[in-house]
Amino acid sequence: MTSEDLQRHRDERDRFLAEHFASPLSEEDQATFVGLDYFPEDPSLDLRAPFRALSGTRELAHSTGSPRHYHLVGAVDVSIGDQTFTMTVLDGGDGNPFLPFRDTTSDTYEGGRYVPVTIHDGTASVNFNLAANPWCAYDEEFACPLPPPENVLPLPVRAGEKRFR
C-alpha cells in the first residue's frame, strides 16, 4: 500500500464516520467531527507474514459481556521489531478476515483495534497502519469482540487509529 493509498483510506474512513447514516457516531458527534487522530505511517508495520489456514469456530468475549462465535481463518506469524507473535485471524461471517489485537499503546482504544487481513498462498498481508477502532469505541451499545489472549501484544503498536476523543 502506498502512502497515498493509506491517506485515501483514512479520508474515506473519516468521511464515513462524519456523514454516513450507519456511522457509529451520535448525530451530535457527527456534527462536530473533523477526523480521527492517526499515528504517522510506519512502513515497517506493513507486513507480509507466514500464514497457516485453520478451520472451525472460536468463541470470543464481547465488549457487552455476551460471547459470540467467529470463524477461524488461520494463524499468522507477525514480526514486530525483533519479536514474532503467532496471532489468530478471524471472520465474523462477512468474508472479511481480520485480526483483533490489543497492545500496550496508551493512546489507543483499551478494548483493542482491528486490522484487515488479506490471505495469499501461505502468507498474509497485515498492515497495522490500517488498525481501526471497533464501533464500540464510539458507541458502547455496539457489541465488539475482544482480542483473544494470543492477540494481546506485550509491546506498543504505534500505527493506525488513535483513541476517539
Side-chain angles (χ1 to χ4, degrees), residues 48-56 58 71-79 84-91 97-100 117-126 148 150-151:
R48 185 89 173 231
F51 174 82
R52 290 174 310 290
L54 298 172
S55 61
R58 175 83 182 265
H71 300 285
L72 278 172
V73 176
V76 62
D77 296 324
V78 173
S79 293
T84 300
F85 306 94
T86 299
M87 302 176 80
T88 300
V89 178
L90 302 163
D91 181 330
F98 73 105
L99 190 155
V117 176
T118 304
I119 310 299
H120 311 282
D121 280 341
T123 64
S125 295
V126 180
E150 66 274 15
N151 289 10

Side-chain angles (χ1 to χ4, degrees), residues 47-113:
L47 309 171
R48 185 89 173 231
F51 174 82
R52 290 174 310 290
L54 298 172
S55 61
T57 60
R58 175 83 182 265
E59 185 177 88
L60 292 182
H62 266 88
S63 57
T64 57
S66 58
R68 180 175 164 209
H69 285 88
Y70 286 81
H71 300 285
L72 278 172
V73 176
V76 62
D77 296 324
V78 173
S79 293
I80 300 174
D82 62 353
Q83 298 182 60
T84 300
F85 306 94
T86 299
M87 302 176 80
T88 300
V89 178
L90 302 163
D91 181 330
D94 60 2
N96 295 310
F98 73 105
L99 190 155
F101 77 99
R102 188 169 53 234
D103 64 319
T104 63
T105 310
S106 62
D107 47 358
T108 59
Y109 176 61
E110 59 276 358
R113 293 178 287 160

